[in-house]
Amino acid sequence: MTKINKAACIGGGVIGGGWIARFLLAGIDVDVYDPHPEAKRIVGEVLANAEKAYAMLTGAPLPPRGKLTFRDTLQAAVAGADWIQESVPERLDLKRNVLTQIDAAARPDTLIGSSTSGLLPTDLQRDMLHPERLFVAHPYNPVYLLPLVEIVGGEKTSAATIQAAMERLPPIGMKGVHIAKEIEAFVGDRLLEALWREALWLIKDDICTVETLDDVIRYSFGLRWAQMGLFQTYRIAGGEAGMRHFLAQFGPALQWNWTKLMDVVDLDDALVEKIGQQSDEQADGLSIRELERIRDENLVGILQSLKGSHGGKGWGAGKLLKDFEHQLWAAGGDKKETLDVTKPLRLIDTKVSPAWVDYNGHMTEHRYLQVFGDTSDALLRLIGVDLDYVERGHSYYTVETHIRHLGEAKLGQTIHSTAQILASDEKRLHVFHALHDSASGDVIATAEQMLLHVDAKAGRATAAPEEVLVKLRPLSAAHAVLTMPEGAGRHVGQKR
Ligand SMILES: NC(=O)C1=CN([C@@H]2O[C@H](COP(=O)(O)OP(=O)(O)OC[C@H]3O[C@@H](n4cnc5c(N)ncnc54)[C@H](O)[C@@H]3O)[C@@H](O)[C@H]2O)C=CC1
Ligand SMILES: C[N+](C)(C)CC(=O)CC(=O)[O-]
């Protein structure tokens, strides 16, 4: 996989700030140029939100955060970068001017992406000396959570540039889609603007308020779109006969006079004020930053649900998250070098995600099993039982678990788990995990588990091979001298 080593962001507003967070949290150093007097504060706030969201999004080991440097000139920011992302305001003259400066100052092999949401790359690259490396990399807000980037080339963009851009996105957890032909607003904004135009008419004509309109979206097709998009959703809506039946039944309705799409509403002062007022009422006193945090928590929950979907294989953006986590584990999951084996091993550091909280306002039961399962997985990776090992046909299966709940884990709380090996032999691995509040160190829950080494193809327990046992024995020996943890060996109802 080809990775970005150093990025430069020109413009650090809503979208530039999101790109900066995305790069930094993927471990990439970023140099920024933005003449706004408060650019550092604004970027800092976006980054703080992004870090909160990532802590809830994944228990996989993120790389050390990249270094963030603000530069006084555009030229200083782009020097040495191998991906430059332009995110200045949406004006063709301004973007052309900025891109020409980037072109003159950047290394010849640097990729230059523009965040434009609608301008044609052919127009953007007109004045560049090396236009072949310019492409549109259109992201979605918030860039640090939403993975899609529309990659669009102009007349002078080289095929090698498009390929290089596409290859560099998965290592930062993003999905590039190459748009085959350049058109204004590409694909996503074409669709969004069609919806938006129609929505503005519905408000202007007093058919509904902005709140009702948003409710119509978020209680219905908005929920569907996150996981199946438009066409797959409609395929199902065609019943057993599928898409062809759907088109036959509902296609003719497209000819009816349902839409004002071709007519653009006049956004005069009265309409702007009407929408502004209704939007203020809808926000109900919540600030933009508070709304951003709620949005991020919701997105994290949706992404995590999608990660567990399709029999655990992951679906859509959740499958992408799962693949990204595999990369993270492969790159940094092996804590062998830093682990202190003279005490229970600290293996998972995470935060209680919104998707983990139940009606009692604390972490729900099955999420404890998830964290303890992740802890066992992390322990297994230490002894060489990783994804490659499992794919070769062997694994450890959990055959018994006893969880005790001693405290509460609340939304956003920082938690970590430790693992102590109680006993092991060729087939068995008997472990005792504890979940701690990271601030106080207090134990919130424990799990005692028995795992058996299995030949997955044969479906039976079998001795682990020497390559695994040679790593397991020293850990097991180091833990044999530790005190038996309080609660080990307990069973439910023992005190009755
Ligand atoms: N806001 C959104 O939802 C999305 C915006 N985009 C695109 O991203 C780009 C940026 O939009 P936003 O971040 O929303 O705008 P913004 O207004 O939040 O940020 C623009 C930033 O560029 C800075 N800037 C202005 N002139 C500059 C220059 N010469 N050199 C360096 N920095 C300069 C400004 O100080 C500001 O911080 C636009 O092309 C927009 O179409 C793309 C996807 C979504
Ligand atoms: C409003 N917008 C055209 C700038 C929106 C986008 O480009 C994408 C998004 O995040 O919705």
Side-chain angles (χ1 to χ4, degrees):
M1 221 172 330
T2 325
K3 291 191 170 164
I4 301 168
N5 294 308
K6 181 154 184 252
C9 287
I10 307 304
V14 173
I15 290 305
W19 275 111
I20 293 166
R22 175 66 81 167
F23 289 133
L24 290 174
L25 295 178
I28 298 165
D29 293 345
V30 186
D31 279 13
V32 178
Y33 172 66
D34 188 322
H36 194 290
E38 294 201 69
K40 280 186 190 164
R41 178 188 62 76
I42 295 166
V43 168
E45 287 181 15
V46 176
L47 190 52
N49 272 357
E51 287 197 306
K52 277 199 190 89
Y54 272 49
M56 294 185 288
L57 181 68
T58 180
L62 291 169
R65 194 174 113 175
K67 186 165 170 258
L68 172 62
T69 313
F70 284 86
R71 301 288 183 186
D72 293 336
T73 63
L74 176 150
Q75 287 71 19
V78 302
D82 48 11
W83 180 301
I84 300 166
Q85 187 68 27
E86 169 277 304
S87 310
V88 302
E90 190 77 344
R91 288 196 344 251
L92 182 59
D93 58 337
L94 173 67
K95 284 198 186 276
R96 269 189 186 147
N97 179 289
V98 165
L99 287 167
T100 311
Q101 290 183 57
I102 293 174
D103 189 35
R107 266 183 4 214
D109 60 335
T110 306
L111 295 168
I112 305 172
S114 170
S115 297
T116 178
S117 34
L119 299 171
L120 294 178
T122 293
D123 291 338
L124 292 174
Q125 68 194 169
R126 190 194 66 181
D127 301 335
M128 291 174 69
L129 285 177
H130 295 289
E132 69 284 352
R133 57 195 171 146
L134 182 277
F135 52 96
V136 166
H138 177 240
Y140 285 76
N141 188 36
V143 182
Y144 52 82
L145 278 181
L146 296 190
L148 189 81
V149 186
E150 287 170 289
I151 299 289
V152 194
E155 281 167 14
K156 295 181 186 159
T157 310
S158 71
T161 293
I162 298 293
Q163 192 188 335
M166 294 288 287
E167 282 173 6
R168 278 159 183 76
L169 291 169
I172 59 171
M174 298 189 95
K175 178 181 172 68
V177 287
H178 179 211
I179 306 301
K181 291 184 187 168
E182 63 173 333
I183 51 163
E184 290 85 355
F186 328 123
V187 174
D189 277 337
R190 280 270 161 140
L191 298 171
L192 285 175
E193 295 207 356
L195 187 74
W196 197 35
R197 269 194 210 108
E198 198 70 31
L200 290 174
W201 278 118
L202 293 169
I203 307 299
K204 183 176 170 68
D205 294 347
D206 291 319
I207 309 297
C208 63
T209 62
V210 297
E211 185 164 357
T212 302
L213 190 131
D214 281 353
D215 282 350
V216 167
I217 294 174
R218 69 198 182 117
Y219 288 90
S220 65
F221 52 84
L223 287 171
R224 292 194 308 226
W225 282 355
Q227 47 83 52
M228 280 198 181
L230 182 69
F231 282 102
Q232 208 159 27
T233 296
Y234 280 172
R235 178 182 179 83
I236 298 173
E240 287 179 4
M243 180 56 91
R244 285 168 187 79
H245 174 64
F246 181 85
L247 291 173
Q249 191 178 1
F250 299 108
L254 295 175
Q255 307 286 344
W256 302 351
N257 194 19
W258 271 8
T259 179
K260 287 195 168 182
L261 264 185
M262 304 315 291
D263 239 354
V264 181
V265 74
D266 181 12
L267 266 174
D268 57 19
D269 290 352
L271 183 55
V272 168
E273 192 42 33
K274 181 177 182 179
I275 293 172
Q277 264 180 26
Q278 291 185 6
S279 175
D280 290 347
E281 277 163 35
Q282 182 189 25
D284 202 19
L286 292 169
S287 69
I288 297 291
R289 289 281 176 253
E290 285 167 323
L291 286 170
E292 280 174 350
R293 276 192 285 277
I294 293 167
R295 173 201 65 191
D296 288 359
E297 282 176 18
N298 294 337
L299 289 173
V300 164
I302 292 167
L303 285 167
Q304 285 183 337
S305 294
L306 292 174
K307 191 179 86 174
S309 171
H310 195 30
K313 284 188 260 181
W315 181 263
K319 166 85 171 59
L320 189 79
L321 175 60
K322 201 177 176 74
D323 293 345
F324 181 54
E325 287 184 334
H326 282 173
Q327 282 175 48
L328 293 174
W329 281 116
D334 191 344
K335 290 189 171 184
K336 269 194 300 269
E337 283 155 25
T338 51
L339 279 179
D340 179 358
V341 298
T342 62
K343 56 186 187 187
L345 305 168
R346 180 165 172 160
L347 292 175
I348 299 287
D349 281 85
T350 188
K351 273 191 182 178
V352 180
S353 144
W356 296 6
V357 173
D358 65 14
Y359 52 84
N360 289 317
H362 56 205
M363 188 156 111
T364 199
E365 283 167 307
H366 69 281
R367 297 296 180 181
Y368 285 86
L369 184 56
Q370 178 184 319
V371 178
F372 289 129
D374 289 348
T375 309
S376 292
D377 287 347
L379 177 64
L380 292 174
R381 275 191 295 275
L382 285 181
I383 58 171
V385 180
D386 54 16
L387 289 175
D388 283 348
Y389 184 85
V390 171
E391 272 164 21
R392 292 203 303 271
H394 289 84
S395 187
Y396 275 88
Y397 287 178
T398 307
V399 290
E400 193 170 342
T401 297
H402 179 198
I403 294 180
R404 294 184 311 146
H405 297 276
L406 309 173
E408 285 179 277
K410 300 276 192 186
L411 175 65
Q413 191 171 331
T414 310
I415 52 176
H416 69 267
S417 67
T418 53
Q420 179 172 341
I421 299 175
L422 298 182
S424 71
D425 62 20
E426 288 183 338
K427 282 187 190 166
R428 286 173 298 188
L429 180 54
H430 184 186
V431 290
F432 189 87
H433 300 324
L435 185 73
H436 306 258
D437 169 40
S438 297
S440 65
D442 291 350
V443 176
I444 301 167
T446 68
E448 189 171 346
Q449 294 193 314
M450 180 65 79
L451 290 87
L452 276 187
H453 187 268
V454 292
D455 176 336
K457 285 183 193 141
R460 60 178 166 74
T462 179
E466 195 54 26
E467 63 172 288
V468 169
L469 295 174
V470 82
K471 292 180 183 153
L472 174 58
R473 283 189 204 107
L475 278 179
S476 215
H479 283 195
V481 298
L482 299 181
T483 314
M484 188 61 87
E486 191 280 316
R490 264 192 59 147
H491 58 82
V492 178
Q494 128 182 304
K495 283 188 176 166
R496 263 193 250 156

